[in-house]
Amino acid sequence: MTGGRAGRSPGSPDRLAEVADAAGRAFRLLPAVPEDVAPAGRPGPSQPVRRISTDPDTVERDLVRLVLTLVELLRQLMERQALHRVDQGDLTEEQEERLGSTLMILHDRMAELCADHGLTMEDLNLDLGPLGTLLPPPGTE
């Protein structure tokens, strides 16, 4: 996707408001959680439906949070794969050292990126409802 219509930059305030408005319309079409959908023959929810905030001021932070969440998920998957390879003895001692230091640097960089954007590593752990959280709790890896 490029800059959009002529004369508007992708980050201009009116463009952000337009995107937020479009997202708001899209989210109004969908229930936010399973409890918001009333089973057949029963009245709908008595309380307002929980929805994603489409405030233009929070869109950038929420997008950064989502991207960092995906990067953290991939980092943890790579770490598990590396540990599996170490356990199998597939790596030389030098490769193990290099892999370990690389993973530590990546973890530190993730913490820095979170701090730069006012997030904690816990903020990246999305709640998937009945499935639990996306990332395992610290110390259970």
Side-chain angles (χ1 to χ4, degrees):
M1 188 158 70
T2 58
R5 296 182 194 145
R8 288 190 195 171
S9 68
S12 68
D14 58 326
R15 180 70 177 143
L16 290 176
E18 184 180 321
V19 169
D21 183 53
R25 286 192 310 269
F27 286 119
R28 280 190 292 276
L29 298 175
L30 302 172
V33 292
E35 294 84 30
D36 295 336
V37 179
R42 292 175 57 195
S46 59
Q47 60 191 17
V49 176
R50 293 172 287 178
R51 302 210 182 268
I52 294 175
S53 173
T54 56
D55 181 12
D57 298 332
T58 65
V59 169
E60 181 179 352
R61 184 174 188 269
D62 292 342
L63 181 60
V64 167
R65 180 179 175 205
L66 178 61
V67 169
L68 288 177
T69 297
L70 292 173
V71 171
E72 177 62 13
L73 177 63
L74 291 173
R75 186 197 69 76
Q76 287 187 15
L77 291 173
M78 288 177 9
E79 189 173 286
R80 286 191 196 110
Q81 180 65 29
L83 289 174
H84 180 69
R85 289 189 65 195
V86 168
D87 289 343
Q88 286 187 324
D90 290 349
L91 304 172
T92 66
E93 193 172 312
E94 180 183 324
Q95 289 173 323
E96 288 179 16
E97 286 292 323
R98 194 170 69 231
L99 188 58
S101 63
T102 300
L103 289 171
M104 286 192 305
I105 290 169
L106 185 55
H107 182 271
D108 292 344
R109 186 63 183 128
M110 279 298 298
E112 288 174 22
L113 286 169
C114 285
D116 290 348
H117 294 283
L119 298 167
T120 65
M121 294 297 278
E122 291 79 29
D123 292 333
L124 304 183
N125 200 0
L126 301 178
D127 183 5
L128 302 176
L131 298 175
T133 56
L134 178 66
L135 305 171
T140 61
E141 299 170 16

